[in-house]
Amino acid sequence: MLEQTLSIQPLKAKDFASDQDVRWCPGCGDYSILKALQKALAESGARRESTVVVSGIGCSSRLPYYLSTFGFHTIHGRAPAVATGIKIANPALDVWVVTGDGDCLSIGGNHALHALRRNINLNILLFNNEIYGLTKGQYSPTSAVGTRSSTSPKGSSEQPVKPCSFALGAGAGFIARSEATDQKRLPEILQRAKEHEGAAFVEILQNCIIFNDQAFDRFTASSVAADRQLFVRHGEPMLFGKAANMGVRMNQSTLKLEAFDLNDGVAGEKDVLLHDENNKFLAMLLMEMSYEVGFPMVFGVLYCNRDARYELDRHLTKEPDWQGLEQLFKGKSSWQV
Amino acid sequence: MTFVVVEECIKCKHTECVEVCPVDCFHEGPNFLVIDPDECIDCGICEPECPVDAIYSEDDLPERQHKFIALNEELSAVWPVITEKKPAPDDADQWQGIPGKLQYLER
């Protein structure tokens, strides 16, 4: 008997690029996310034939064209629903959802909510640029109060949705935040999301250079980033600042987090909190921290609940009594279970 | 794919490109800039910024400039990152468009 050994060569990031011309505006943060995703897929040993990237509508949602994996550019806000169907039909596939702040939190808020709540094993990447880019600059559900746009000429007055807090409230088991241009840590976060069994949600802050340029500069500009960003890792102390001299501690009487200088004598290194990504209460506090309220902006894996297993396949193990669509239409309106 | 800095930059070294790069992938040598191909995200914003047209997409690179792909990769590994614009050399205009400048590259 002839035995053949099939050798599978490891793929490089470039192998995940398609032959399509990438059409985002020059300088767009989406290029950076595309590159990070290609790196993450290569480094995690993903296979093109077992990877599907599903998108909705918006600038972000052009991404599947630029990957050599399977892709599906679906309808506005419904990518999580289509991705859910793909995952149910073939649980062996690695399914990614690419969406934006409009697609995911405006028209698609409902679908995102339920994909997270059901804990479907999807990796949902939310490209958050706090503006509607594809439709030329209307304010979005995540736009900061005061954002001037064609639909808010006097500045928006609505409170923005906080995507990570939304995901936590919906029941996501894995929630992370990254900056689009962080080519060192974003691929690592994307790999973690891929490994997580269950719904993984990654908010990626992405600069729209045309309609909302410098929206995140107050904490991403290289001159201030070290002092205004905290990157958390499980089990490591929450330290930030150019000299790692700033820490985050819990005020025991107010149950609020506080940022403090280790050199000011009020509190020491022993008071600095260690990040525990399994702690939902801590995750909630971290997600609410922002530069505006005297804290650094927090990046990294904010929450990871390994106990929240992906249970959907449990409900699908029974062979359904399926006799075809025709029979279903012509059949009775009641069933015996 | 990546973007590549080519011969036109040598001894001209205008630095408009470094300020627009969203991922800080330019590296600076004594009289030339290079792009780190591992860091470049192919966004293309630097290309029109260069006043001497010294930045090309790898896919559109003229045949005679192909050696600069390896040169960008090699030198970006040793030269420091540059993120802020600085004045071009005093004689930059005199060197603009002069062919065969590779011999003047300082490492």
Side-chain angles (χ1 to χ4, degrees):
Chain A
M1 191 180 183
L2 183 66
E3 282 192 15
Q4 280 189 320
T5 310
L6 188 65
S7 71
I8 297 177
Q9 297 293 323
L11 297 172
K12 298 191 174 107
K14 278 185 179 174
D15 297 323
F16 286 95
S18 76
D19 60 356
Q20 300 291 301
D21 286 339
V22 184
R23 288 185 185 153
W24 285 308
C25 305
C28 177
D30 289 355
Y31 287 92
S32 194
I33 304 172
L34 174 64
K35 181 146 186 170
L37 183 55
Q38 289 167 344
K39 278 185 194 170
L41 289 171
E43 284 164 20
S44 63
R47 305 300 306 170
R48 288 179 290 212
E49 62 275 16
S50 55
T51 305
V52 189
V53 184
V54 187
S55 66
I57 297 295
C59 295
S60 63
S61 298
R62 298 191 59 78
L63 189 135
Y65 296 109
Y66 310 137
L67 288 172
S68 58
T69 65
F70 286 103
F72 200 159
H73 191 178
T74 71
I75 44 177
H76 207 354
R78 273 68 183 166
V82 174
T84 299
I86 293 170
K87 191 70 190 176
I88 291 172
N90 188 350
L93 294 174
D94 182 26
V95 184
W96 298 75
V97 172
V98 170
T99 181
D101 41 307
D103 191 56
C104 183
L105 295 172
S106 192
I107 192 169
N110 179 22
H111 292 282
L113 166 77
H114 293 293
L116 296 169
R117 176 179 69 83
R118 292 180 183 127
N119 200 23
I120 313 289
N121 195 358
L122 307 172
N123 314 310
I124 302 176
L125 311 184
L126 170 63
F127 296 15
N128 184 8
N129 57 13
E130 300 188 352
I131 202 80
Y132 291 161
L134 194 71
T135 50
K136 301 185 179 174
Q138 298 80 17
Y139 76 108
S140 90
T142 57
S143 295
V145 172
T147 299
R148 287 179 188 273
S149 72
S150 56
T151 45
S152 56
K154 294 181 179 174
S156 66
S157 56
E158 298 165 20
Q159 288 297 320
V161 177
K162 294 177 179 170
C164 290
S165 302
F166 163 80
L168 190 73
F174 178 99
I175 302 169
R177 187 192 283 141
S178 178
E179 214 189 311
T181 52
D182 190 343
Q183 285 295 315
K184 301 273 185 298
R185 295 178 293 199
L186 178 54
E188 177 192 321
I189 288 174
L190 296 178
Q191 277 197 69
R192 285 282 315 274
K194 181 176 180 293
E195 287 159 13
H196 181 75
E197 288 281 320
F201 180 89
V202 185
E203 179 192 10
I204 307 170
L205 302 184
Q206 169 253 325
N207 190 46
C208 173
I209 193 163
I210 304 296
F211 296 110
N212 204 17
D213 195 19
Q214 303 181 341
F216 307 111
D217 262 22
R218 61 195 186 281
F219 54 83
T220 60
S222 52
S223 55
V224 297
D227 291 325
R228 297 179 183 177
Q229 288 187 17
L230 166 64
F231 192 90
V232 291
R233 287 185 194 277
H234 184 63
E236 293 185 12
M238 295 187 193
L239 292 170
F240 65 102
K242 279 197 192 78
N245 62 312
M246 297 294 291
V248 174
R249 65 173 175 170
M250 169 70 78
N251 184 317
Q252 305 287 346
S253 54
T254 62
L255 289 185
K256 286 180 178 174
L257 297 183
E258 290 176 349
F260 71 103
D261 190 332
L262 269 70
N263 302 321
D264 70 2
V266 175
E269 206 155 332
K270 63 175 176 28
D271 298 303
V272 177
L273 277 177
L274 300 181
H275 182 46
D276 176 4
E277 62 186 24
N278 306 311
N279 184 333
K280 194 169 187 175
F281 177 66
L282 180 62
M284 200 185 313
L285 294 173
L286 291 175
M287 288 167 191
E288 292 295 316
M289 280 167 59
S290 73
Y291 171 63
E292 283 69 27
V293 290
F295 284 103
M297 193 70 178
V298 189
F299 295 94
V301 177
L302 308 181
Y303 181 59
C304 179
N305 180 0
R306 292 186 184 82
D307 299 329
R309 309 301 297 179
Y310 168 52
E311 297 284 0
L312 192 68
D313 53 350
R314 194 185 65 188
H315 304 292
L316 298 173
T317 48
K318 279 188 193 167
E319 196 62 37
D321 185 18
W322 176 250
Q323 295 168 343
L325 201 58
E326 189 76 6
Q327 285 300 316
L328 186 68
F329 281 138
K330 290 178 178 172
K332 294 178 294 184
S333 56
S334 63
W335 294 268
Q336 197 163 8
V337 287
Chain B
M1 202 186 87
T2 177
F3 279 74
V4 181
V5 186
V6 300
E7 192 165 22
E8 276 78 358
C9 178
I10 295 172
K11 287 180 93 60
C12 287
K13 207 171 86 167
H14 296 275
T15 49
E16 278 81 354
C17 52
V18 307
E19 286 219 320
V20 297
C21 177
V23 291
D24 300 340
C25 70
F26 281 91
H27 293 246
E28 184 189 20
N31 63 359
F32 184 48
L33 299 175
V34 288
I35 289 173
D36 180 346
D38 289 334
E39 294 290 323
C40 174
I41 55 170
D42 313 324
C43 76
I45 196 167
C46 56
E47 188 182 5
E49 293 295 320
C50 179
V52 297
D53 297 331
I55 303 175
Y56 283 82
S57 160
E58 187 180 23
D59 295 345
D60 303 330
L61 203 59
E63 185 70 35
R64 65 184 174 83
Q65 305 271 26
H66 269 205
K67 51 184 167 297
F68 280 88
I69 297 175
L71 211 50
N72 274 246
E73 186 173 6
E74 178 199 337
L75 297 174
S76 63
V78 289
W79 285 351
V81 171
I82 171 171
T83 57
E84 286 180 15
K85 188 172 180 263
K86 54 159 71 170
D90 293 338
D91 58 350
D93 290 346
Q94 294 165 31
W95 286 99
Q96 184 173 340
I98 304 280
K101 288 196 286 182
L102 183 55
Q103 57 181 313
Y104 304 117
L105 174 67
E106 293 174 38
R107 289 167 178 256

